[in-house]
Amino acid sequence: MSNAAEVIDIHKYYDLGGHIVKALQGVSLVVPEGDYIAIMGSSGSGKSTLLNLLGALDRPTKGEYIIGGKAVSQLNDNQLSAIRNQMIGFIFQSYNLVPQYTVLENIEIPLHYRAGAPSLSAKDRAWCRELARMVGLEDRLTHRPFQLSGGQQQRVAIARALVSDPKIILADEPTGNLDSATGAEIMKLLKNLNAEGRTIIMVTHEAEVARQAKRQIYMKDGLIAGTGVFPGV
């Protein structure tokens, strides 16, 4: 089995007006293809910083990040954008939907950023409709976010994350704004996606949510401090 991603002795520092914040202080992690990881830790532990680096949204100060067999340090900004668009799907706690767009238009967004695709083909549009059906929103295609429940908005976000057929899905507190029943539905969707072979890396503060992943990683002070479920973090 090959690796979907690997970080090697990653450090990330931020200069806040002369005060250096060491968000990550030497993190190493191997993520095999098809893995399902929950990253836990208190506020300021570095878990969100690590997720941003895994999503190629930021570059490490020191260390190396390898995704799809490519070292991020060797890629320019355009190449990184292509990696994000083609290999990674993002699911956010706040959904990050465009309020004036319909469900279908929100799902289509990543395809419009794809090189050479200023407009969508009939095949692309059919794929977006199929994704809406897969997440149970085939009867909501023309609705806008304000007309949807929180769970429905998160389903749109999941469909949008899948539209480029990514190998890796990064989920940042995907159930954080949902009630327990709706959160359970979203977790079932993620479990099914993992069963199909997609790699999932999820940040959560909920121990019950973390237990549903194959592996749990606990972060503290910018380091991986342990593995397993740690309640109350």
Side-chain angles (χ1 to χ4, degrees):
M1 178 183 296
S2 57
N3 294 329
E6 181 177 4
V7 294
I8 304 168
D9 194 28
I10 287 289
H11 296 247
K12 183 62 182 180
Y13 303 156
Y14 296 98
D15 186 347
L16 302 181
H19 174 62
I20 304 299
V21 175
K22 297 182 178 181
L24 296 176
Q25 302 189 68
V27 172
S28 294
L29 177 65
V30 176
V31 184
E33 288 183 356
D35 206 352
Y36 187 174
I37 299 174
I39 302 174
M40 305 182 73
S42 59
S43 178
S45 63
K47 59 185 188 297
S48 294
T49 299
L50 178 59
L51 199 71
N52 285 339
L53 290 172
L54 290 169
L57 297 171
D58 203 354
R59 296 176 185 265
T61 304
K62 294 193 297 182
E64 189 61 88
Y65 174 35
I66 299 171
I67 179 170
K70 299 178 180 179
V72 165
S73 63
Q74 304 301 315
L75 303 178
N76 60 36
D77 288 345
N78 288 336
Q79 290 170 322
L80 275 183
S81 294
I83 288 284
R84 288 193 295 269
N85 186 261
Q86 298 166 15
M87 295 188 63
I88 304 171
F90 297 91
I91 302 171
F92 303 96
Q93 177 180 356
S94 56
Y95 321 131
N96 284 17
L97 304 181
V98 179
Q100 64 267 33
Y101 283 9
T102 66
V103 165
L104 188 60
E105 289 168 340
N106 268 285
I107 295 172
E108 293 172 348
I109 287 173
L111 297 182
H112 287 289
Y113 286 100
R114 189 175 57 191
S119 61
L120 301 187
S121 66
K123 182 178 179 180
D124 284 336
R125 292 188 181 280
W127 170 233
C128 292
R129 289 176 179 272
E130 172 61 15
L131 286 171
R133 185 198 65 77
M134 286 170 56
V135 298
L137 293 174
E138 63 268 31
D139 59 344
R140 297 286 191 273
L141 294 180
T142 60
H143 286 59
R144 287 176 169 76
F146 74 90
Q147 298 173 303
L148 305 174
S149 68
Q152 288 172 329
Q153 291 185 63
Q154 193 61 293
R155 288 172 181 269
V156 177
I158 290 173
R160 182 185 59 194
L162 294 173
V163 75
S164 295
D165 195 26
K167 300 299 182 184
I168 302 173
I169 295 174
L170 302 181
D172 189 2
E173 300 281 6
T175 64
N177 286 337
L178 306 175
D179 60 65
S180 57
T182 306
E185 293 175 0
I186 295 303
M187 292 308 299
K188 184 177 179 180
L189 278 174
L190 292 179
K191 183 177 180 179
N192 290 340
L193 292 172
N194 180 245
E196 294 172 359
R198 299 182 194 275
T199 304
I200 298 178
I201 305 172
M202 170 180 63
V203 161
T204 182
H205 67 276
E206 301 175 73
E208 187 58 38
V209 169
R211 287 189 184 95
Q212 299 181 54
K214 293 176 179 176
R215 288 200 288 156
Q216 298 82 28
I217 293 172
Y218 179 61
M219 295 194 67
K220 183 177 181 180
D221 299 330
L223 293 165
I224 293 177
T227 59
V229 175
F230 292 76
V233 297

